[in-house]
Amino acid sequence: MKKTQLYLSSLVLAFVLQSCNNEKKLEEVEVPLPAATEEKAPMGNPDDVAAEPGAFKMMKLPYAYDALEPHIDARTVEIHYSKHHVGYVNNLNKAIAGTALEKQTIEEILSKLDLENKVVRNNAGGYYNHNLYWEIMGPKKGGEPTGALAEAIKKDLGSFDNFKTQLTEAATKQFGSGWAWLVVDKTGKLVIGSTPNQDNPLMPNMSISGTPILGLDVWEHAYYLKYQNKRPDYITAFFNLINWDAVAKKYEAAKTSAAPAPKV
């Protein structure tokens, strides 16, 4: 019995010694942590964006992709312009290819639109609406309008603050995707309203009718990368980007068109 116990003790001792020897051979290896830097996708050049051959061309973006920061980020502008906008142009050209619509202006197409023609309705609207959207924004803009437009806002809408409140309400309450508008109606008066999807006030049978001079895109692709579900924050930021000189020119042109023909 004693011999057996002695033999087992010897085995245990040998195992412990062997384990210690093995542990001495282990080396601690330092594994480097992954770099914390975030790689940014290279920014493209808006001048390189072009539509496929067709009746309508892609408008030139009046500024660089990052020019509207910090209010609208460069990545959003790039995707919005080079993916969504150009997609509407290409799809519109395909939809009207070989038809009489190829010879019409975009305003003529919209004003005489068959609302059941969903392909033309969506893409003609998307083309026109985005052209206006980019035109009436700009870097280091915002503030308040002056001259005849400022007087018209005060006369027709009560005040500039009322204009902001009404446009904000129209944009906020537009359920789902759509647009909020400042429009010159057929009497020459300024009105505010909204339309769903890519509809606009030039189309027949809309809830707001007239010539748009300012459009605010409230589709999620216009703001979601920066603002996520906070549409009101995006709307507030938009007022810092309005190019009132561009809006004023559109107001003068729309008012002239709305004026009754002189009697002869």
Side-chain angles (χ1 to χ4, degrees), residues 63-96:
Y63 32 76
Y65 287 137
D66 61 355
L68 303 183
E69 291 189 343
H71 309 294
I72 302 179
D73 60 287
R75 186 62 174 153
T76 292
V77 176
E78 180 177 24
I79 294 173
H80 200 168
Y81 178 75
S82 69
K83 305 299 182 185
H84 293 280
H85 190 174
V86 77
Y88 289 118
V89 184
N90 289 334
N91 290 331
L92 172 61
N93 285 334
K94 291 175 185 176
I96 65 174

Side-chain angles (χ1 to χ4, degrees), residues 13 16 58 63 90 101 118 146 191 195 212 226 228 240 264:
L13 179 61
V16 171
M58 191 68 178
Y63 32 76
N90 289 334
L101 297 178
K118 298 297 178 62
T146 58
V191 292
T195 56
K226 182 176 179 67
Q228 287 79 52
N240 296 309
V264 294

Side-chain angles (χ1 to χ4, degrees), residues 14 33 43 65-66 83 90 93 108 118 128 181 190 218 234 256:
L33 295 174
M43 192 181 305
Y65 287 137
D66 61 355
K83 305 299 182 185
N90 289 334
N93 285 334
E108 289 171 337
K118 298 297 178 62
Y128 177 92
W181 304 100
L190 290 174
V218 292
Y234 158 70
T256 300

Side-chain angles (χ1 to χ4, degrees), residues 65 87 120 124 126 130 133 144 146 180 187 226 238 250:
Y65 287 137
V120 173
H130 284 91
Y133 179 67
E144 297 187 19
T146 58
T187 69
K226 182 176 179 67
F238 172 77
K250 292 184 177 297

Side-chain angles (χ1 to χ4, degrees), residues 28 30 44 125 130 142 187 215 232 243 263:
E28 184 178 354
E30 184 176 345
H130 284 91
T187 69
N243 182 346
K263 295 181 180 181

Side-chain angles (χ1 to χ4, degrees), residues 28-195:
E28 184 178 354
V29 178
E30 184 176 345
V31 179
L33 295 174
T37 57
E38 180 182 349
E39 292 187 6
K40 292 185 178 180
M43 192 181 305
N45 184 343
D47 291 341
D48 296 334
V49 178
E52 297 168 5
F56 291 98
K57 311 300 180 186
M58 191 68 178
M59 69 161 282
K60 176 179 171 58
L61 194 68
Y63 32 76
Y65 287 137
D66 61 355
L68 303 183
E69 291 189 343
H71 309 294
I72 302 179
D73 60 287
R75 186 62 174 153
T76 292
V77 176
E78 180 177 24
I79 294 173
H80 200 168
Y81 178 75
S82 69
K83 305 299 182 185
H84 293 280
H85 190 174
V86 77
Y88 289 118
V89 184
N90 289 334
N91 290 331
L92 172 61
N93 285 334
K94 291 175 185 176
I96 65 174
T99 74
L101 297 178
E102 277 190 308
K103 306 299 182 182
Q104 296 182 14
T105 66
I106 189 62
E107 291 82 5
E108 289 171 337
I109 291 174
L110 293 171
S111 63
K112 302 172 184 176
L113 183 67
D114 174 7
L115 296 180
E116 294 303 313
N117 189 339
K118 298 297 178 62
V119 176
V120 173
R121 178 178 180 174
N122 293 335
N123 291 291
Y127 171 67
Y128 177 92
N129 296 352
H130 284 91
N131 285 353
L132 177 66
Y133 179 67
W134 302 125
E135 286 174 347
I136 56 85
M137 290 192 295
K140 300 179 181 178
K141 298 297 181 179
E144 297 187 19
T146 58
L149 177 57
E151 294 173 6
I153 287 175
K154 183 177 180 180
K155 176 177 177 290
D156 297 335
L157 303 175
S159 68
F160 182 73
D161 286 341
N162 283 350
F163 154 76
K164 291 180 66 175
T165 299
Q166 291 179 40
L167 190 72
T168 297
E169 183 175 354
T172 303
K173 291 186 176 180
Q174 172 54 49
F175 182 78
S177 301
W179 292 75
W181 304 100
L182 177 64
V183 171
V184 177
D185 70 11
K186 63 181 180 180
T187 69
K189 181 181 178 181
L190 290 174
V191 292
I192 288 174
S194 65
T195 56

